[in-house]
Amino acid sequence: MSKTAPKNKEVPFVKAVVARSERPTKLVNQVLSKYRIEAVGAAPTARPLRVAKVSFSGTKTLHGETSEFSFRWEVDGNGVWGIMADENLAGKSSILQVILWALRGRPKSLTETVEQWIEKVDVGFVVDGRPMQVKFDVVDEQPIGFISFGEPSKSPIINNFADTDEFQESMQEIMLSALGLEPIPTSQQAGGRIVAYDDGWAAYTGAFLTDADSDAIIGEQTGGDLIQRLLQVYIGIPWVKTFFQARTQARLLEADTASRRRKLAGLGGKSLEDLESDLAEVEEKIADEGARSLASQRLNDARLERDALTKRISEMNRSYGQAQDTVELSYQSKVKAEQLVNAIKEENAASQFFGSLKPHSCPRCSSSIGESQIKKEQTDHACSVCSKPVEKPDPAEVAAQLQQAEERLTLARKTEKDATKFVNKLERNMASARADLEVVGQTMNELAAAGTAADAGLLQTEKDRLQGMIEAARAIFESVDDNTDELAIVKAASDEANLRVQTAAISVMQEISAEVTRISQTLGMKDVESVTLKRNAHVEIVKGGSLSKWKDLSPGERLRLRIATVIALSRGSQKMGMGRHPGLLLIDSPGREEMQPDDLRQTINELIGLTAEYPDTQMFIAMTGKPSDLSGVANDRIVHAVKGEKLW
């Protein structure tokens, strides 16, 4: 007795492409192999990435004085790790940024000042159960060091690097392979044509950090379709890799076809034989003795010079427009830098002025303020009028901020000066070129009166035009003159893979959207009724009975929705066993964007709850507050700087 075939059994991918393209199986296999389009229908699984150690050291320079610093933290383990400080500017975010520096091979948002202070970095990771050490010195603003991947006793892979580019290339080479990820194939417009390229490891790391500096729902870049590709890869939807590969190649083939059609249209509808016949007639006329006069040669030379000058002026016009834009942008940067310097100076001066005031009587009841109260203000730092603590700015912090702002101002002024000089130089060059063009024009007018010479010039121009058309036509005809079969197969592969992605994504996206909705409400977005996260990374939010888009949300709402999305991606991928997010989350300053204290506490509890629900997660939370704000996290998992101190 035969068994009943399973319902909804998926047709083999190649067979489906054969049916869609109406091309033979052998040809379909050849084209898919040629363009490296793989049938990847299995749901990929995540490989974990963990931080094991963070260590860096260097020398600070403040007010012309230098002091050495060092930071070392052993963090080998899953769960929540806290980076806390009682006040801002204590070095919390810098610790996360050093981790990202070692992970990416290039700094992300590390301030220039801190980057210049750091001299040595040593960060340890555990990648899919294997140890990795990233260690380097910073010499002349370039990292010089090595990456060791694997057990020390088992001949680990060691990659040395001597600059940022080599560092980034080495990290991409190791991390993509170790985590089972692949460069995401895509294409873009460049130089008037479509070119293929890959987004590498740095793009993936954008989904580890959640802060208030990105406008994207996931990752750090906006524009294009990188966000949706990151989202789909990290969710682990089957057939996503195949879809990206096929779509990229389809775009390239379509662009190539359109280019050929434009070139053929430029021949004026004539065949190659007609063009060659026209060229022969023109060459016969040029061979006439009278057409080879000295005037003809001079006219031809003048024409070439005119064309060269015209092209040069056109290029300078484009450069001039770009240079003017640069001047305007540099001027705006200078103004902003000046405003920042003045703001710091004014704020510090105001603080010192009001701090030096000595009141004689209460402004409400006119009672006199005694000398004992004045002294108490000096010793206990409590206001002699209202008894509230008197906050005094840290001179070192003010000086550091002022120094950094003045350095930016100096750079902005130099940039504006250099840009202005370049504009003036272009103006002089353009004036000179236009004068030369006028002289050449006068010469051509004089030679045109020679009759035969003018005819010779026209014949030479026609000869050059015909030769160019024939050369273009031969190039087109010598190439593959019809890529209809290949384009049909690649487009069929793209359409089939897209259909399979859509089918697989329906239930996954519904579950993740429901989880994002629940977490968003927990994080204080009480008026949110539903959040729908689409496969293209667009977000629809129903709140207060009306539909809102991502752009309509406030900065605080965007931050909370980003956090909710990262949590949902991690939970959803682990729950369904098909995600590819390696489980490393870096949360920087969750209370930075107008989040109320109660909402912030709920946010922190939800983040901690994630690691309790899914222990295969490692999360770093950097925030202003005390260790007690991370309820349930042991103190030995928290680095903390009390008021007036720094973390490093």
Side-chain angles (χ1 to χ4, degrees):
M1 184 175 179
S2 61
K3 295 182 179 180
T4 302
K7 294 182 179 180
N8 299 324
K9 183 178 180 180
E10 198 169 56
V11 176
F13 182 74
V14 173
K15 186 175 181 180
V17 174
V18 168
R20 279 181 177 271
S21 65
E22 299 180 348
R23 300 303 193 275
T25 302
K26 181 178 179 180
L27 180 59
V28 168
N29 279 317
Q30 289 175 343
V31 172
L32 295 181
S33 176
K34 175 181 178 180
Y35 292 103
R36 298 181 180 179
I37 300 172
E38 306 169 70
V40 184
T45 57
R47 300 181 186 179
L49 168 64
R50 302 291 180 264
V51 180
K53 176 187 69 175
V54 186
S55 176
F56 58 95
S57 60
T59 304
K60 295 182 182 179
T61 302
L62 292 172
H63 305 293
E65 297 182 0
T66 60
S67 60
E68 295 182 352
F69 68 88
S70 64
F71 178 85
R72 182 180 179 85
W73 194 20
E74 301 288 342
V75 291
D76 192 4
N78 293 332
V80 175
W81 299 83
I83 305 172
M84 312 286 293
D86 287 352
E87 54 191 359
N88 290 320
L89 300 176
K92 304 184 302 298
S93 297
S94 298
I95 296 174
L96 296 183
Q97 291 299 329
V98 169
I99 293 174
L100 278 176
W101 187 0
L103 200 58
R104 292 159 49 95
R106 181 184 298 274
K108 179 185 180 293
S109 300
L110 195 65
T111 65
E112 292 182 8
T113 301
V114 174
E115 187 176 345
Q116 291 173 357
W117 286 350
I118 293 177
E119 298 169 358
K120 296 180 179 295
V121 173
D122 186 0
V123 181
F125 300 97
V126 178
V127 187
D128 194 24
R130 290 173 288 177
M132 183 173 76
Q133 181 184 21
V134 179
K135 187 174 183 179
F136 60 90
D137 297 338
V138 182
V139 181
D140 295 331
E141 301 182 355
Q142 291 293 332
I144 300 177
F146 67 89
I147 304 164
S148 175
F149 181 49
E151 294 289 348
S153 61
K154 298 180 180 179
S155 302
I157 298 172
I158 297 179
N159 282 12
N160 296 303
F161 53 86
D163 56 36
T164 295
D165 289 340
E166 290 183 359
F167 188 8
Q168 188 169 10
E169 290 170 2
S170 295
M171 288 304 298
Q172 169 156 314
E173 176 183 325
I174 292 175
M175 297 305 291
L176 290 181
S177 174
L179 293 178
L181 300 171
E182 62 279 329
I184 305 174
T186 186
S187 60
Q188 67 178 6
Q189 190 83 16
R193 61 191 182 94
I194 300 292
V195 297
Y197 72 101
D198 292 327
D199 278 317
W201 170 239
Y204 282 110
T205 62
F208 299 157
L209 178 67
T210 298
D211 58 15
D213 293 332
S214 173
D215 289 331
I217 186 68
I218 181 176
E220 59 188 79
Q221 300 182 23
T222 58
D225 57 4
L226 176 59
I227 299 174
Q228 64 168 298
R229 287 183 281 114
L230 276 178
L231 182 65
Q232 295 181 40
V233 168
Y234 273 131
I235 291 176
I237 300 175
W239 298 105
V240 165
K241 179 180 178 181
T242 305
F243 170 61
F244 289 148
Q245 290 174 335
R247 186 181 63 174
T248 297
Q249 295 302 330
R251 288 177 175 176
L252 294 174
L253 287 172
E254 286 173 341
D256 184 50
T257 299
S259 175
R260 293 180 185 182
R261 288 173 179 170
R262 287 193 298 270
K263 290 179 179 178
L264 288 172
L267 299 179
K270 290 188 175 183
S271 66
L272 182 60
E273 291 76 12
D274 291 338
L275 293 173
E276 290 175 338
S277 176
D278 292 344
L279 178 61
E281 292 181 6
V282 171
E283 288 177 336
E284 288 179 5
K285 294 178 181 179
I286 292 177
D288 181 73
E289 185 67 25
R292 294 188 300 159
S293 63
L294 178 61
S296 172
Q297 184 61 46
R298 291 178 60 195
L299 180 59
N300 188 53
D301 293 341
R303 177 180 58 81
L304 294 175
E305 185 178 359
R306 177 204 61 194
D307 293 344
L309 284 170
T310 301
K311 180 178 179 182
R312 180 184 170 196
I313 291 173
S314 177
E315 292 173 348
M316 285 193 293
N317 275 327
R318 287 194 296 270
S319 298
Y320 183 73
Q322 294 171 353
Q324 286 181 315
D325 291 341
T326 301
V327 170
E328 178 61 23
L329 289 174
S330 61
Y331 171 76
Q332 294 175 2
S333 297
K334 183 193 73 173
V335 171
K336 290 180 180 179
E338 289 174 342
Q339 291 173 346
L340 179 59
V341 170
N342 292 335
I344 294 173
K345 290 180 177 178
E346 289 171 2
E347 182 179 354
N348 186 42
S351 176
Q352 293 178 352
F353 172 76
F354 288 112
S356 65
L357 295 178
K358 295 182 179 180
H360 296 287
S361 62
C362 176
R364 178 177 177 84
C365 63
S366 300
S367 298
S368 62
I369 297 174
E371 187 64 29
S372 62
Q373 290 176 275
I374 299 297
K375 292 182 178 180
K376 186 177 180 181
E377 177 174 321
Q378 298 173 352
T379 58
D380 297 347
H381 303 290
C383 178
S384 57
V385 177
C386 64
S387 299
K388 289 186 177 180
V390 177
E391 297 289 342
K392 293 186 178 181
D394 184 350
E397 288 185 7
V398 173
Q401 292 174 349
L402 182 58
Q403 179 182 356
Q404 185 177 6
E406 289 177 338
E407 289 173 353
R408 291 180 179 175
L409 176 57
T410 299
L411 179 61
R413 286 172 174 167
K414 183 178 184 301
T415 302
E416 181 190 26
K417 183 179 179 181
D418 293 342
T420 302
K421 286 183 178 179
F422 184 64
V423 167
N424 294 337
K425 180 180 178 181
L426 282 176
E427 289 176 344
R428 293 193 297 270
N429 292 343
M430 289 169 65
S432 175
R434 290 192 183 101
D436 293 341
L437 183 61
E438 184 176 354
V439 172
V440 171
Q442 293 174 353
T443 300
M444 292 181 66
N445 289 336
E446 294 173 356
L447 292 171
T452 302
D455 294 338
L458 293 174
L459 288 171
Q460 184 62 43
T461 300
E462 179 66 7
K463 176 184 176 182
D464 293 342
R465 187 181 71 85
L466 290 170
Q467 286 178 331
M469 293 174 67
I470 291 172
E471 182 178 352
R474 285 174 177 167
I476 295 172
F477 293 138
E478 287 173 1
S479 64
V480 180
D481 58 1
D482 188 3
N483 65 349
T484 302
D485 286 339
E486 291 189 350
L487 180 57
I489 292 170
V490 171
K491 288 187 68 175
S494 176
D495 292 341
E496 179 63 26
N498 187 37
L499 176 62
R500 297 187 179 206
V501 170
Q502 290 176 346
T503 303
I506 292 175
S507 61
V508 178
M509 298 307 295
Q510 286 176 346
E511 290 194 40
I512 289 180
S513 295
E515 187 70 354
V516 172
T517 301
R518 184 187 70 81
I519 299 172
S520 299
Q521 294 168 345
T522 302
L523 300 185
M525 300 176 72
K526 304 298 184 184
D527 58 345
V528 170
E529 300 171 28
S530 68
V531 178
T532 302
L533 184 60
K534 297 182 179 295
R535 190 165 60 89
N536 61 2
H538 290 176
V539 185
E540 291 183 352
I541 306 100
V542 176
K543 62 175 187 173
S546 61
L547 181 66
S548 298
K549 300 290 187 181
W550 173 259
K551 64 180 181 179
D552 302 325
L553 301 178
S554 69
E557 290 175 322
R558 291 185 186 181
L559 177 60
R560 276 172 276 182
L561 196 54
R562 276 197 295 273
I563 293 175
T565 301
V566 171
I567 294 175
L569 285 179
S570 298
R571 283 181 170 171
S573 63
Q574 293 184 46
K575 181 178 179 181
M576 291 174 281
M578 58 187 297
R580 307 182 73 179
H581 196 290
L584 174 62
L585 304 176
L586 311 176
I587 313 295
D588 191 7
S589 304
R592 174 173 159 187
E593 294 287 352
E594 82 222 14
M595 196 177 292
Q596 297 300 319
D598 289 343
D599 295 338
L600 179 58
R601 279 192 293 271
Q602 289 179 337
T603 300
I604 298 304
N605 290 336
E606 183 68 19
L607 293 173
I608 295 173
L610 167 64
T611 59
E613 185 176 350
Y614 294 99
D616 292 334
T617 302
Q618 186 185 48
M619 181 185 302
F620 292 85
I621 302 176
M623 59 181 288
T624 302
K626 298 183 181 300
S628 59
D629 294 333
L630 293 180
S631 177
V633 179
N635 286 336
D636 60 0
R637 283 176 162 259
I638 301 173
V639 290
H640 175 231
V642 299
K643 185 176 180 180
E645 293 185 357
K646 308 294 183 186
L647 286 163
W648 47 269

